[in-house]
Amino acid sequence: MVRSATGDDGTGDYWRRFTPDAREVISQAFAEARELGHPCMADEHVLLGLLRHGAGQAVGLLEAQGLDLDTARAELLKVGPTLGPAADPAAALRGVGVDVDEVRRHLEASFGPEVVAAAEWRVRRRPRWRGGHPRPSALCVHVLAKRSFEFAAGFATRRGDAGIGPDHLLYGVLQDAADPLGTQLSRRSRRELASLGFVPGRPNPVRLQLQAHGIDLTRLAAEIGR
């Protein structure tokens, strides 16, 4: 699931260092994004994925601040995601009577989830003229969380931790949330995402979520770093 979620073929730096718990967090983050109708997995979904996973110091720190999964979802609905449902091509298909999730379920029932995931990966690897998408694609679901993954990896390295776990992921999300949206994106990625309604320079939804709940991002990151 996580490889399908992130578009990673298993050879990327992040994939090699993710612990089993971190992979599960990212899978849960991807599930949250899909269930909310958001086309990309961003920092706000990683936060939800951590709470949905429900284990580790990271979740304990969030819950100690009074933030649980339902509360985080409610705050996200108030502040809005990085990219909203209007950018979701699956939503457009549902508008003409095509339920993408139902089609996927039928395919997985007939051929198996691994075969479907492998087919999706092959399509993503195709050049545009063969019906695929360039890399990075505007709909590459992990591009909006990439910078937080980099922060998480750097934090793990500084602590001498071989793997990237849930605590590192939360630290990365908090560091990324301190800056406006788009800081982590190349000019090309911003241009591609602009066609989907992405507005660089907005406050990161995670920062708005946590601040609305009275949580200081810097202090929380320092708690993880102890």
Side-chain angles (χ1 to χ4, degrees):
M1 166 65 83
V2 70
R3 293 188 187 185
S4 175
T6 64
D8 198 322
D9 62 1
T11 63
D13 289 339
Y14 302 139
W15 176 262
R16 287 196 297 269
R17 297 188 66 188
F18 284 149
T19 66
D21 279 338
R23 297 179 192 185
E24 181 61 25
V25 166
I26 296 171
S27 292
Q28 297 293 352
F30 180 54
E32 286 289 331
R34 289 186 64 186
E35 289 169 11
L36 291 168
H38 302 160
C40 295
M41 182 182 70
D43 288 345
E44 59 268 27
H45 305 111
V46 178
L47 179 68
L48 296 179
L50 284 161
L51 291 166
R52 183 163 169 165
H53 180 251
Q57 178 196 17
V59 172
L61 289 172
L62 291 168
E63 292 179 343
Q65 298 284 335
L67 189 70
D68 57 21
L69 181 57
D70 289 339
T71 302
R73 283 178 181 151
E75 295 293 354
L76 179 57
L77 290 176
K78 290 179 184 177
V79 304
T82 300
L83 274 177
D88 188 359
L93 290 173
R94 284 193 293 271
V96 294
V98 178
D99 188 329
V100 175
D101 290 333
E102 185 64 24
V103 171
R104 184 187 181 91
R105 282 192 291 271
H106 281 301
L107 289 172
E108 290 181 344
S110 299
F111 303 104
E114 293 298 326
V115 172
V116 174
E120 290 177 331
W121 178 81
R122 287 194 297 271
V123 169
R124 282 195 298 269
R125 299 287 291 184
R126 290 176 184 168
R128 185 187 294 274
W129 59 270
R130 289 188 58 203
H133 300 283
R135 294 177 68 86
S137 165
L139 287 178
C140 178
V141 294
H142 84 291
V143 69
L144 293 173
K146 182 178 179 181
R147 189 165 181 258
S148 70
F149 292 167
E150 292 173 351
F151 282 130
F155 179 50
T157 298
R158 290 193 300 274
R159 289 180 53 165
D161 300 331
I164 299 171
D167 295 349
H168 306 109
L169 289 177
L170 177 57
Y171 181 88
V173 164
L174 293 173
Q175 292 299 315
D176 194 26
D179 291 328
L181 289 177
T183 304
Q184 76 276 24
L185 297 175
S186 67
R187 184 177 300 177
R188 176 182 176 183
S189 294
R190 291 189 190 189
R191 186 167 58 249
E192 290 179 339
L193 288 167
S195 65
L196 302 175
F198 178 76
V199 180
R202 288 176 50 218
N204 189 301
V206 169
R207 178 168 42 153
L208 297 177
Q209 283 174 275
L210 297 184
Q211 288 180 342
H213 205 67
I215 298 175
D216 185 293
L217 278 71
T218 303
R219 187 177 304 163
L220 184 57
E223 287 288 326
I224 301 170
R226 289 180 180 175

